[in-house]
Coordinates of all heavy atoms in Angstrom, one line a residue:
M1063 N 0.8 -1.2 0.0 CA 0.0 0.0 0.0 C 0.9 1.3 0.0 O 0.6 2.2 -0.7 CB -0.9 0.0 1.2 CG -1.9 1.1 1.2 SD -3.1 0.8 0.0 CE -4.6 1.3 0.8
Q1064 N 1.9 1.2 0.8 CA 2.8 2.4 0.8 C 3.5 2.6 -0.5 O 3.7 3.8 -0.9 CB 3.9 2.2 1.9 CG 4.8 3.3 2.1 CD 4.2 4.5 2.8 OE1 3.1 4.4 3.3 NE2 4.8 5.6 2.6
Q1065 N 3.9 1.6 -1.2 CA 4.6 1.7 -2.5 C 3.7 2.3 -3.6 O 4.1 2.9 -4.5 CB 5.1 0.3 -2.9 CG 6.2 -0.1 -2.0 CD 6.6 -1.5 -2.4 OE1 6.0 -2.2 -3.2 NE2 7.7 -2.0 -1.8
E1066 N 2.4 2.1 -3.5 CA 1.5 2.6 -4.5 C 1.4 4.1 -4.4 O 1.2 4.8 -5.5 CB 0.1 2.0 -4.3 CG 0.0 0.5 -4.6 CD -1.4 0.0 -4.3 OE1 -2.3 0.8 -4.0 OE2 -1.6 -1.2 -4.3
N1067 N 1.5 4.7 -3.3 CA 1.4 6.1 -3.1 C 2.7 6.9 -3.3 O 2.7 8.1 -3.4 CB 0.8 6.5 -1.8 CG -0.7 6.1 -1.6 OD1 -1.4 6.0 -2.6 ND2 -1.1 5.8 -0.4
E1068 N 3.8 6.2 -3.4 CA 5.1 6.8 -3.4 C 5.3 7.7 -4.7 O 5.7 8.8 -4.6 CB 6.2 5.7 -3.4 CG 7.1 6.0 -2.2 CD 8.1 4.9 -2.2 OE1 9.1 4.9 -3.0 OE2 8.0 4.0 -1.3
P1069 N 5.0 7.2 -5.9 CA 5.2 8.0 -7.1 C 4.3 9.3 -7.1 O 4.7 10.3 -7.5 CB 4.9 7.1 -8.3 CG 5.0 5.7 -7.8 CD 4.7 5.8 -6.3
R1070 N 3.1 9.1 -6.6 CA 2.2 10.2 -6.5 C 2.6 11.3 -5.5 O 2.6 12.5 -5.8 CB 0.8 9.8 -6.2 CG -0.3 10.8 -6.6 CD -1.6 10.2 -6.5 NE -2.1 10.6 -5.2 CZ -3.2 10.1 -4.6 NH1 -3.9 9.1 -5.3 NH2 -3.6 10.5 -3.5
N1071 N 3.1 10.8 -4.4 CA 3.6 11.8 -3.4 C 4.9 12.5 -3.9 O 5.1 13.6 -3.6 CB 4.0 11.0 -2.1 CG 2.7 10.6 -1.3 OD1 1.6 11.2 -1.6 ND2 2.8 9.6 -0.5
R1072 N 5.7 11.8 -4.6 CA 6.9 12.4 -5.1 C 6.6 13.6 -6.1 O 7.2 14.6 -6.1 CB 7.8 11.4 -5.9 CG 9.2 11.8 -5.9 CD 10.1 10.7 -6.4 NE 9.6 9.4 -6.5 CZ 10.0 8.5 -7.4 NH1 10.9 8.8 -8.2 NH2 9.5 7.3 -7.4
R1073 N 5.5 13.4 -6.9 CA 5.1 14.4 -7.8 C 4.5 15.6 -7.1 O 4.7 16.7 -7.5 CB 4.0 13.9 -8.8 CG 4.6 13.2 -10.0 CD 3.6 12.9 -11.0 NE 3.8 11.6 -11.5 CZ 2.9 10.8 -11.8 NH1 1.6 11.0 -11.6 NH2 3.2 9.6 -12.3
M1074 N 3.9 15.4 -6.0 CA 3.2 16.5 -5.2 C 4.3 17.3 -4.5 O 4.0 18.5 -4.2 CB 2.3 15.9 -4.2 CG 1.0 15.3 -4.9 SD -0.1 14.5 -3.7 CE -0.8 16.0 -3.0
N1075 N 5.5 16.8 -4.3 CA 6.5 17.5 -3.6 C 7.5 18.3 -4.6 O 8.6 18.6 -4.2 CB 7.4 16.6 -2.7 CG 6.5 16.1 -1.6 OD1 5.6 16.7 -1.1 ND2 6.9 14.9 -1.1
V1076 N 7.0 18.5 -5.8 CA 7.9 19.2 -6.8 C 8.0 20.6 -6.4 O 7.0 21.3 -6.0 CB 7.2 19.1 -8.2 CG1 8.0 19.9 -9.2 CG2 7.3 17.6 -8.6
S1077 N 9.2 21.1 -6.4 CA 9.5 22.5 -6.0 C 9.3 23.4 -7.2 O 9.5 23.0 -8.4 CB 10.9 22.6 -5.5 OG 11.2 24.0 -5.3
Y1078 N 8.8 24.6 -7.0 CA 8.6 25.5 -8.1 C 9.9 26.3 -8.5 O 9.9 27.0 -9.5 CB 7.5 26.5 -7.8 CG 6.1 25.8 -7.8 CD1 5.5 25.5 -6.6 CD2 5.5 25.4 -9.0 CE1 4.3 24.8 -6.6 CE2 4.3 24.8 -9.0 CZ 3.7 24.5 -7.8 OH 2.5 23.8 -7.8
R1079 N 10.9 26.2 -7.7 CA 12.1 26.9 -8.0 C 12.7 26.5 -9.3 O 13.1 27.4 -10.1 CB 13.1 26.7 -6.8 CG 14.4 27.6 -7.0 CD 15.2 27.5 -5.8 NE 16.4 28.3 -5.9 CZ 16.5 29.6 -5.7 NH1 15.5 30.2 -5.2 NH2 17.7 30.2 -5.9
P1080 N 12.9 25.2 -9.6 CA 13.4 24.9 -11.0 C 12.6 25.4 -12.1 O 13.1 25.8 -13.1 CB 13.4 23.4 -11.0 CG 13.4 23.0 -9.5 CD 12.7 24.0 -8.8
L1081 N 11.3 25.4 -11.9 CA 10.4 26.0 -13.0 C 10.7 27.5 -13.2 O 10.7 28.0 -14.3 CB 8.9 25.7 -12.7 CG 7.9 26.1 -13.7 CD1 8.2 25.3 -15.0 CD2 6.5 25.8 -13.2
G1082 N 10.9 28.1 -12.1 CA 11.2 29.6 -12.1 C 12.6 29.8 -12.8 O 12.7 30.8 -13.6
E1083 N 13.5 28.9 -12.6 CA 14.8 29.0 -13.3 C 14.6 28.9 -14.8 O 15.2 29.6 -15.6 CB 15.7 27.8 -12.8 CG 16.2 27.9 -11.4 CD 17.4 28.8 -11.3 OE1 18.1 29.1 -12.3 OE2 17.6 29.3 -10.1
V1084 N 13.8 27.9 -15.2 CA 13.5 27.8 -16.7 C 12.9 29.0 -17.3 O 13.3 29.5 -18.3 CB 12.7 26.5 -16.9 CG1 12.2 26.4 -18.4 CG2 13.4 25.3 -16.5
V1085 N 11.9 29.5 -16.6 CA 11.2 30.7 -17.1 C 12.1 31.9 -17.1 O 12.1 32.7 -18.2 CB 9.9 31.0 -16.2 CG1 9.3 32.3 -16.6 CG2 8.9 29.9 -16.4
R1086 N 12.9 32.1 -16.1 CA 13.8 33.3 -16.1 C 14.9 33.1 -17.2 O 15.3 34.1 -17.9 CB 14.5 33.4 -14.8 CG 13.6 34.1 -13.8 CD 14.4 34.4 -12.5 NE 14.8 33.2 -11.8 CZ 14.1 32.6 -10.9 NH1 12.9 33.0 -10.6 NH2 14.6 31.5 -10.3
G1087 N 15.3 31.9 -17.4 CA 16.3 31.6 -18.5 C 15.7 31.9 -19.9 O 16.4 32.5 -20.7
I1088 N 14.4 31.6 -20.1 CA 13.8 31.9 -21.4 C 13.7 33.4 -21.6 O 14.0 33.9 -22.7 CB 12.4 31.2 -21.4 CG1 12.6 29.7 -21.6 CG2 11.6 31.7 -22.6 CD1 11.3 28.9 -21.4
F1089 N 13.4 34.1 -20.5 CA 13.4 35.6 -20.6 C 14.7 36.1 -21.0 O 14.9 37.1 -21.8 CB 12.8 36.2 -19.4 CG 11.3 36.2 -19.2 CD1 10.7 35.7 -18.1 CD2 10.5 36.7 -20.2 CE1 9.4 35.7 -18.0 CE2 9.1 36.6 -20.1 CZ 8.6 36.1 -19.0
F1090 N 15.8 35.6 -20.3 CA 17.1 36.1 -20.7 C 17.5 35.8 -22.1 O 18.1 36.6 -22.8 CB 18.2 35.5 -19.7 CG 18.4 36.2 -18.4 CD1 17.9 35.7 -17.3 CD2 19.0 37.4 -18.4 CE1 18.0 36.3 -16.1 CE2 19.2 38.1 -17.2 CZ 18.7 37.5 -16.0
I1091 N 17.1 34.6 -22.6 CA 17.4 34.2 -24.0 C 16.7 35.2 -24.9 O 17.2 35.7 -25.9 CB 17.1 32.8 -24.2 CG1 18.0 31.8 -23.5 CG2 17.1 32.4 -25.7 CD1 17.6 30.4 -23.5
L1092 N 15.4 35.4 -24.6 CA 14.6 36.3 -25.5 C 15.1 37.7 -25.6 O 15.2 38.3 -26.6 CB 13.1 36.3 -25.1 CG 12.4 35.0 -25.3 CD1 11.0 35.1 -24.8 CD2 12.3 34.6 -26.8
F1093 N 15.6 38.2 -24.4 CA 16.1 39.6 -24.4 C 17.4 39.6 -25.1 O 17.8 40.6 -25.8 CB 16.2 40.1 -22.9 CG 16.5 41.5 -22.9 CD1 15.6 42.5 -23.3 CD2 17.7 42.0 -22.4 CE1 15.9 43.8 -23.3 CE2 18.1 43.3 -22.3 CZ 17.1 44.2 -22.8
G1094 N 18.3 38.6 -25.0 CA 19.5 38.5 -25.7 C 19.3 38.5 -27.2 O 20.0 39.1 -27.9
V1095 N 18.4 37.7 -27.6 CA 18.0 37.6 -29.1 C 17.5 39.0 -29.6 O 17.9 39.4 -30.6 CB 17.0 36.5 -29.4 CG1 16.5 36.6 -30.8 CG2 17.7 35.1 -29.1
Y1096 N 16.7 39.6 -28.7 CA 16.2 41.0 -29.1 C 17.4 41.9 -29.2 O 17.5 42.7 -30.2 CB 15.3 41.5 -28.0 CG 14.9 42.9 -28.2 CD1 14.0 43.3 -29.2 CD2 15.5 43.9 -27.4 CE1 13.7 44.6 -29.4 CE2 15.2 45.3 -27.6 CZ 14.3 45.6 -28.6 OH 13.9 46.9 -28.8
M1097 N 18.4 41.8 -28.3 CA 19.5 42.7 -28.4 C 20.3 42.5 -29.7 O 20.8 43.4 -30.3 CB 20.5 42.5 -27.2 CG 20.0 43.0 -25.9 SD 20.1 44.8 -25.7 CE 21.9 44.9 -25.5
L1098 N 20.4 41.2 -30.1 CA 21.2 40.8 -31.3 C 20.5 41.2 -32.6 O 21.1 41.6 -33.6 CB 21.5 39.4 -31.3 CG 22.5 38.9 -30.2 CD1 22.5 37.4 -30.2 CD2 23.8 39.5 -30.3
L1099 N 19.1 41.2 -32.6 CA 18.4 41.3 -33.8 C 17.7 42.7 -33.9 O 17.2 43.0 -35.0 CB 17.3 40.2 -34.0 CG 17.9 38.8 -34.1 CD1 16.7 37.9 -34.2 CD2 18.8 38.7 -35.3
A1100 N 17.7 43.5 -32.9 CA 16.9 44.8 -32.9 C 17.4 45.7 -34.0 O 16.6 46.3 -34.7 CB 16.9 45.4 -31.6
E1101 N 18.7 45.8 -34.1 CA 19.3 46.8 -35.0 C 19.0 46.3 -36.5 O 18.7 47.1 -37.3 CB 20.8 46.9 -34.8 CG 21.5 48.0 -35.5 CD 21.2 49.3 -34.8 OE1 21.0 49.3 -33.6 OE2 21.2 50.3 -35.5
R1102 N 19.2 45.0 -36.7 CA 19.0 44.5 -38.1 C 17.5 44.6 -38.5 O 17.2 44.8 -39.7 CB 19.4 43.1 -38.2 CG 20.9 42.9 -38.1 CD 21.3 41.5 -38.3 NE 22.7 41.3 -37.9 CZ 23.2 40.1 -37.6 NH1 22.4 39.1 -37.5 NH2 24.4 40.0 -37.3
M1103 N 16.6 44.3 -37.6 CA 15.2 44.2 -38.0 C 14.5 45.6 -38.0 O 13.4 45.7 -38.4 CB 14.5 43.3 -37.0 CG 15.0 41.9 -37.0 SD 14.9 41.1 -38.6 CE 13.2 40.5 -38.6
G1104 N 15.2 46.6 -37.5 CA 14.7 47.9 -37.4 C 13.6 48.1 -36.3 O 12.8 49.1 -36.4
W1105 N 13.7 47.3 -35.3 CA 12.7 47.4 -34.2 C 13.1 48.6 -33.3 O 12.2 49.3 -32.9 CB 12.7 46.2 -33.4 CG 12.1 45.0 -34.1 CD1 11.2 45.0 -35.0 CD2 12.5 43.6 -33.9 NE1 10.9 43.7 -35.5 CE2 11.7 42.8 -34.7 CE3 13.4 43.0 -33.0 CZ2 11.8 41.5 -34.8 CZ3 13.4 41.6 -33.0 CH2 12.7 40.9 -33.9
R1106 N 14.3 48.8 -33.1 CA 14.8 49.9 -32.2 C 16.2 50.2 -32.5 O 17.0 49.3 -32.8 CB 14.6 49.5 -30.8 CG 15.0 50.6 -29.9 CD 14.7 50.3 -28.4 NE 15.1 51.4 -27.6 CZ 15.9 51.2 -26.5 NH1 16.2 50.0 -26.1 NH2 16.3 52.3 -25.8
Q1107 N 16.5 51.4 -32.5 CA 17.9 51.9 -32.6 C 18.6 51.9 -31.3 O 18.2 52.8 -30.5 CB 18.0 53.2 -33.3 CG 17.4 53.3 -34.7 CD 18.3 52.5 -35.7 OE1 19.5 52.4 -35.5 NE2 17.7 52.0 -36.7
L1108 N 19.5 51.0 -31.0 CA 20.2 51.0 -29.7 C 21.3 52.0 -29.8 O 22.1 52.1 -30.7 CB 20.7 49.7 -29.3 CG 19.6 48.6 -29.2 CD1 20.3 47.2 -29.0 CD2 18.7 48.9 -28.0
D1109 N 21.4 52.9 -28.8 CA 22.5 53.9 -28.8 C 23.8 53.4 -28.1 O 24.4 54.1 -27.4 CB 22.0 55.1 -28.0 CG 20.8 55.8 -28.7 OD1 20.7 55.7 -29.9 OD2 20.0 56.4 -28.0
L1110 N 24.1 52.2 -28.5 CA 25.4 51.6 -28.0 C 26.2 51.2 -29.2 O 25.8 51.0 -30.3 CB 25.0 50.3 -27.2 CG 24.2 50.5 -25.9 CD1 23.9 49.2 -25.3 CD2 25.0 51.4 -24.9
N1111 N 27.5 51.0 -28.9 CA 28.4 50.5 -29.9 C 28.0 49.2 -30.4 O 27.5 48.3 -29.6 CB 29.8 50.5 -29.3 CG 30.9 50.1 -30.3 OD1 30.6 49.9 -31.4 ND2 32.1 50.0 -29.8
E1112 N 28.1 48.9 -31.6 CA 27.6 47.7 -32.2 C 28.3 46.4 -31.6 O 27.6 45.4 -31.3 CB 27.8 47.6 -33.7 CG 27.2 46.5 -34.4 CD 27.4 46.5 -35.9 OE1 27.7 47.6 -36.5 OE2 27.2 45.5 -36.6
N1113 N 29.6 46.5 -31.3 CA 30.3 45.4 -30.7 C 29.8 45.2 -29.3 O 29.7 44.0 -28.9 CB 31.8 45.7 -30.7 CG 32.4 45.7 -32.1 OD1 31.9 45.0 -33.0 ND2 33.5 46.4 -32.3
L1114 N 29.5 46.2 -28.6 CA 29.0 46.1 -27.2 C 27.6 45.5 -27.2 O 27.3 44.6 -26.3 CB 29.0 47.5 -26.5 CG 28.5 47.5 -25.1 CD1 29.5 46.7 -24.2 CD2 28.4 48.9 -24.6
V1115 N 26.8 45.8 -28.2 CA 25.5 45.2 -28.3 C 25.6 43.7 -28.5 O 24.9 42.9 -27.9 CB 24.7 45.8 -29.4 CG1 23.4 45.1 -29.7 CG2 24.3 47.3 -29.0
Y1116 N 26.5 43.3 -29.4 CA 26.7 41.8 -29.6 C 27.3 41.1 -28.4 O 26.9 40.0 -28.1 CB 27.7 41.6 -30.8 CG 27.1 42.0 -32.1 CD1 27.8 42.7 -33.1 CD2 25.8 41.6 -32.5 CE1 27.2 43.0 -34.3 CE2 25.2 41.9 -33.7 CZ 26.0 42.6 -34.6 OH 25.4 42.9 -35.8
V1117 N 28.2 41.8 -27.7 CA 28.7 41.1 -26.4 C 27.6 41.0 -25.4 O 27.5 39.9 -24.8 CB 29.9 42.0 -25.9 CG1 30.3 41.5 -24.5 CG2 31.1 41.9 -26.8
I1118 N 26.9 42.0 -25.2 CA 25.8 41.9 -24.2 C 24.7 40.9 -24.6 O 24.3 40.1 -23.8 CB 25.1 43.3 -24.0 CG1 26.2 44.3 -23.3 CG2 23.9 43.2 -23.1 CD1 25.7 45.7 -23.2
G1119 N 24.3 40.9 -25.9 CA 23.4 39.9 -26.3 C 23.9 38.5 -26.2 O 23.1 37.6 -25.8
G1120 N 25.1 38.3 -26.5 CA 25.7 36.9 -26.4 C 25.8 36.5 -24.9 O 25.5 35.3 -24.6
I1121 N 26.2 37.4 -24.0 CA 26.2 37.1 -22.6 C 24.8 36.8 -22.1 O 24.6 35.8 -21.3 CB 26.9 38.2 -21.8 CG1 28.3 38.3 -22.1 CG2 26.6 38.1 -20.3 CD1 29.0 39.5 -21.5
L1122 N 23.8 37.6 -22.5 CA 22.5 37.3 -22.0 C 22.0 35.9 -22.5 O 21.3 35.2 -21.8 CB 21.5 38.4 -22.5 CG 21.6 39.7 -21.8 CD1 20.8 40.8 -22.5 CD2 21.2 39.6 -20.3
C1123 N 22.2 35.6 -23.8 CA 21.8 34.3 -24.3 C 22.5 33.2 -23.6 O 21.9 32.2 -23.2 CB 22.1 34.2 -25.8 SG 21.0 35.2 -26.8
A1124 N 23.8 33.3 -23.3 CA 24.6 32.3 -22.7 C 24.1 32.1 -21.2 O 23.9 30.9 -20.8 CB 26.1 32.6 -22.7
Y1125 N 23.8 33.2 -20.5 CA 23.3 33.1 -19.2 C 21.9 32.5 -19.1 O 21.6 31.7 -18.3 CB 23.3 34.5 -18.5 CG 22.9 34.4 -17.1 CD1 23.7 33.8 -16.1 CD2 21.8 35.1 -16.6 CE1 23.3 33.7 -14.8 CE2 21.4 35.0 -15.3 CZ 22.1 34.4 -14.4 OH 21.8 34.3 -13.1
G1126 N 21.1 32.8 -20.1 CA 19.8 32.2 -20.2 C 19.8 30.7 -20.5 O 19.1 30.0 -19.9
L1127 N 20.8 30.3 -21.3 CA 20.9 28.8 -21.5 C 21.4 28.1 -20.3 O 20.9 27.0 -20.0 CB 21.9 28.6 -22.7 CG 21.4 28.9 -24.1 CD1 22.6 28.8 -25.1 CD2 20.3 28.0 -24.5
F1128 N 22.3 28.8 -19.5 CA 22.7 28.2 -18.3 C 21.6 28.1 -17.3 O 21.4 27.0 -16.6 CB 23.8 29.1 -17.7 CG 24.2 28.7 -16.3 CD1 24.9 27.6 -16.0 CD2 23.9 29.5 -15.2 CE1 25.3 27.2 -14.7 CE2 24.2 29.2 -13.9 CZ 24.9 28.0 -13.7
R1129 N 20.7 29.1 -17.2 CA 19.6 29.0 -16.3 C 18.6 27.9 -16.7 O 18.1 27.2 -15.8 CB 18.8 30.4 -16.2 CG 19.6 31.5 -15.7 CD 19.8 31.5 -14.2 NE 18.6 31.7 -13.5 CZ 18.4 32.7 -12.6 NH1 19.4 33.5 -12.4 NH2 17.3 32.8 -11.9
V1130 N 18.3 27.8 -18.0 CA 17.4 26.8 -18.5 C 18.0 25.4 -18.2 O 17.3 24.5 -17.7 CB 17.1 26.9 -20.0 CG1 16.5 25.7 -20.5 CG2 16.3 28.2 -20.2
Y1131 N 19.3 25.2 -18.4 CA 20.0 24.0 -18.1 C 19.9 23.6 -16.7 O 19.6 22.5 -16.3 CB 21.5 24.0 -18.5 CG 22.3 22.9 -18.1 CD1 22.2 21.6 -18.7 CD2 23.2 23.0 -17.0 CE1 22.9 20.5 -18.2 CE2 23.9 21.9 -16.5 CZ 23.8 20.7 -17.1 OH 24.5 19.6 -16.7
R1132 N 20.1 24.6 -15.8 CA 20.0 24.3 -14.3 C 18.6 23.9 -13.9 O 18.4 23.0 -13.1 CB 20.5 25.5 -13.5 CG 21.9 25.5 -13.2 CD 22.3 26.6 -12.3 NE 21.4 26.9 -11.2 CZ 21.5 27.9 -10.4 NH1 22.5 28.7 -10.5 NH2 20.6 28.1 -9.4
G1133 N 17.6 24.6 -14.5 CA 16.2 24.3 -14.1 C 15.8 22.9 -14.6 O 15.2 22.2 -13.9
V1134 N 16.2 22.6 -15.9 CA 15.8 21.3 -16.4 C 16.5 20.2 -15.6 O 15.9 19.1 -15.3 CB 16.1 21.2 -17.9 CG1 16.0 19.8 -18.5 CG2 15.2 22.2 -18.7
K1135 N 17.8 20.4 -15.3 CA 18.5 19.4 -14.5 C 17.9 19.2 -13.2 O 17.8 18.0 -12.7 CB 20.0 19.9 -14.3 CG 20.9 19.0 -13.6 CD 22.3 19.6 -13.5 CE 23.1 18.8 -12.5 NZ 24.4 19.4 -12.3
Q1136 N 17.4 20.2 -12.5 CA 16.8 20.1 -11.2 C 15.4 19.4 -11.3 O 15.0 18.7 -10.4 CB 16.6 21.4 -10.5 CG 18.0 21.9 -10.0 CD 17.8 23.3 -9.4 OE1 16.7 23.9 -9.4 NE2 18.9 23.9 -8.9
L1137 N 14.7 19.7 -12.4 CA 13.4 19.1 -12.6 C 13.4 17.6 -12.9 O 12.6 16.9 -12.4 CB 12.6 19.9 -13.7 CG 11.9 21.2 -13.3 CD1 11.4 21.9 -14.5 CD2 10.8 21.0 -12.3
F1138 N 14.3 17.2 -13.8 CA 14.2 15.9 -14.3 C 15.3 14.9 -13.9 O 15.2 13.7 -14.1 CB 14.1 15.9 -15.8 CG 12.9 16.7 -16.4 CD1 13.1 17.9 -17.0 CD2 11.7 16.2 -16.2 CE1 12.0 18.6 -17.5 CE2 10.6 16.8 -16.7 CZ 10.7 18.0 -17.3
F1139 N 16.4 15.4 -13.4 CA 17.5 14.6 -13.0 C 17.9 14.6 -11.6 O 17.7 15.5 -10.9 CB 18.7 14.9 -13.9 CG 18.4 14.7 -15.4 CD1 18.3 15.9 -16.2 CD2 18.2 13.5 -15.9 CE1 18.1 15.8 -17.5 CE2 18.0 13.4 -17.3 CZ 17.9 14.5 -18.1

């Protein structure tokens, strides 16, 4: 009887922190992609040096991928 409820109880104890990591990571990735593509697509003229925009966009995308990786790792492994 105890073994039947074990998988269900394990699902109920899921923490929301890893899910938050994934969501924040997705926002960082989207903002990084926006930084990289805004100038080309004509969405907005950023008043920064072009190289600086690429560096910041790349860092934001890399950090977002790291956050998504950590969240997925905590959720499933």
Side-chain angles (χ1 to χ4, degrees):
M1063 187 71 140
Q1064 181 73 14
Q1065 293 174 351
E1066 292 176 10
N1067 292 333
E1068 238 176 79
R1070 201 170 92 191
N1071 287 339
R1072 205 174 341 152
R1073 276 191 221 139
M1074 293 176 74
N1075 292 332
V1076 171
S1077 175
Y1078 289 104
R1079 185 170 178 91
L1081 187 60
E1083 292 278 341
V1084 171
V1085 171
R1086 282 188 295 272
I1088 291 171
F1089 280 127
F1090 275 107
I1091 291 170
L1092 290 176
F1093 191 66
V1095 169
Y1096 171 77
M1097 290 281 292
L1098 293 172
L1099 296 179
E1101 193 76 29
R1102 290 185 191 156
M1103 301 299 275
W1105 293 330
R1106 181 172 178 230
Q1107 297 289 332
L1108 298 173
D1109 295 331
L1110 297 173
N1111 185 0
E1112 186 176 342
N1113 293 333
L1114 183 62
V1115 170
Y1116 288 135
V1117 169
I1118 292 172
I1121 289 172
L1122 286 171
C1123 288
Y1125 184 64
L1127 287 172
F1128 171 72
R1129 297 286 292 236
V1130 168
Y1131 169 74
R1132 268 185 43 185
V1134 169
K1135 182 179 166 186
Q1136 290 175 358
L1137 278 173
F1138 298 112
F1139 303 107

